[in-house]
Amino acid sequence: MNTIFIVSGLVTLTQATKLAKLPIVQGPSAAFDALMINAGKAGQLATASGSILLSALIVFLLSVTGLINKLIKLLTPAITGTLIFLVGISLSGFTLSEFLGGYPGDKGFSSPTTLILSITTATIVILLSIFGKGFWKRFSFLIALIVGDILAVSLGVVDYSVLSTKSWFGMPHLLPYGSLKFNWVMFLTFFVAYVVTVVEALGVYQAAGDTLKENISPRRIQNGLIGESAGSMFSSLFGGFPTTAFAQNVGILNLTGNVSRIPVIIAGILFVVLGFVPKIGAFLAITPSPVIGGIFLPAATTLILTGFNILKRAPDNNENNMIIGLSIILAIALPNYATG
């Protein structure tokens, strides 16, 4: 956790000030959650870290040499619009589970307390984003978070026990799982996941540019991928996840209208501080899931709409229609047949 906070903060700061120069927070890629859990259960975290390091190194070299620009040139509105739409769909599934308190059968699922928290926070975000002006609109998410947390405390659903297990000061450890190892099968699995995060990041950069009404040059995207891959390599050496651009930020940009990089820079500084103070990080993490879901459900909605707006720019022909339709069908339906 220390590593994830520190690396996310450093990469966020570097991206916002020097590289991509976009108001996008960098954080651990959720595409690796299941892979890292399975690697941990199999006692292969050292191999997982080695796979992340090599995958990130390949993308880093492609980015530094400029070869990644050939991929960027292939990103037509039909591709980027579909990608952003599907990222929004993916986020909506996770966010809705947070909103409802898990899944059917889970304790507290769709309970009155859960719905009070999630609906209240979502309503605050929506109303302030649509009808708020100035301060109220720009800080709608923060206001919703504060109100949601206060409401959660008053309802007695905040668990403070985790705070006692965390120290006030902590340092990340180099190679916490032992010397890095390599396995071709695991590497290929992780590399595919890393390519997915790269493509998603490309979509996030394009979506941010659309919100900012800026044409994000291939050079800025190339710089962004250099920063992400370098951060991922560093993270792998300390047992962390790969870093990537968080799509939720695009939704926040759309709803609040605050496109300044200053809040993102402040967030990056806070991440680094939290990385060295585990107890404060744990305190922020005790925010109940329904509050998180209530905040980010509107953000996922705007991301889907951003994808729709970009798709409108794609020429209406059989090729684009097939790319868009087939991609959406496979992305939504195929995972149901890939479990087990």
Side-chain angles (χ1 to χ4, degrees):
M1 289 299 295
N2 291 39
T3 296
I4 289 174
F5 270 120
I6 294 171
V7 173
S8 296
L10 292 176
V11 177
T12 296
L13 287 170
T14 306
Q15 294 280 48
T17 59
K18 299 293 184 182
L19 297 176
K21 295 184 178 180
L22 290 169
I24 297 296
V25 170
Q26 302 283 325
S29 172
F32 289 85
D33 287 354
L35 294 178
M36 292 296 283
I37 291 172
N38 289 334
K41 291 180 178 179
Q44 294 184 320
L45 285 174
T47 308
S49 293
S51 299
I52 293 173
L53 177 63
L54 183 56
S55 298
L57 177 60
I58 292 173
V59 174
F60 178 81
L61 294 175
L62 290 174
S63 301
V64 170
T65 58
L67 293 176
I68 200 73
N69 288 331
K70 294 184 178 180
L71 173 62
I72 296 173
K73 291 178 181 179
L74 299 176
L75 296 179
T76 63
I79 295 175
T80 57
T82 302
L83 178 62
I84 295 167
F85 169 79
L86 291 175
V87 170
I89 292 294
S90 177
L91 285 177
S92 66
F94 161 76
T95 305
L96 193 59
S97 71
E98 299 283 289
F99 188 96
L100 296 174
Y103 298 91
D106 292 345
K107 181 180 179 180
F109 175 76
S110 295
S111 67
T113 300
T114 295
L115 295 179
I116 288 173
L117 291 174
S118 58
I119 293 175
T120 299
T121 51
T123 301
I124 292 173
V125 170
I126 293 171
L127 292 179
L128 291 182
S129 299
I130 296 176
F131 302 108
K133 304 293 183 182
F135 169 87
W136 298 102
K137 182 180 179 69
R138 289 196 302 273
F139 292 94
S140 57
F141 283 83
L142 180 59
I143 294 171
L145 177 62
I146 293 174
V147 172
D149 280 342
I150 293 174
L151 185 58
V153 171
S154 67
L155 292 173
V157 296
V158 177
D159 181 13
Y160 296 100
S161 61
V162 68
L163 298 180
S164 61
T165 64
K166 302 296 182 180
S167 60
W168 281 104
F169 181 77
M171 290 285 291
H173 301 286
L174 180 65
L175 301 179
Y177 314 126
S179 300
L180 298 180
K181 298 179 181 179
F182 182 79
N183 177 284
W184 272 108
V185 175
M186 182 170 287
F187 162 70
L188 291 175
T189 303
F190 272 74
F191 183 69
V192 169
Y194 199 88
V195 170
V196 171
T197 64
V198 168
V199 175
E200 287 184 356
L202 295 175
V204 172
Y205 293 152
Q206 295 286 355
D210 187 70
T211 301
L212 297 172
K213 294 180 172 54
E214 293 182 14
N215 182 23
I216 308 301
S217 67
R219 180 62 184 178
R220 288 173 69 182
I221 296 177
Q222 178 184 348
N223 287 342
L225 294 179
I226 289 174
E228 289 191 14
S229 55
S232 297
M233 287 190 289
F234 181 79
S235 181
S236 69
L237 295 175
F238 291 88
F241 279 37
T243 58
T244 188
F246 267 26
Q248 292 94 325
N249 276 107
V250 178
I252 294 175
L253 296 178
N254 284 321
L255 285 173
T256 64
N258 186 359
V259 296
S260 170
R261 284 181 281 157
I262 294 177
V264 173
I265 293 173
I266 295 174
I269 295 172
L270 290 175
F271 285 166
V272 174
V273 173
L274 292 175
F276 292 104
V277 189
K279 193 174 287 291
I280 296 180
F283 176 75
L284 295 178
I286 63 176
T287 296
S289 296
V291 175
I292 300 298
I295 290 174
F296 285 113
L297 192 62
T301 301
T302 62
L303 195 60
I304 293 173
L305 295 177
T306 298
F308 273 133
N309 290 332
I310 295 177
L311 284 173
K312 293 178 182 178
R313 304 173 194 165
D316 185 9
N317 54 48
N318 291 334
E319 291 81 4
N320 283 335
N321 291 339
M322 184 60 68
I323 290 173
I324 296 169
L326 191 59
S327 298
I328 292 176
I329 288 174
L330 291 177
I332 294 177
L334 191 59
N336 295 325
Y337 301 90
T339 58

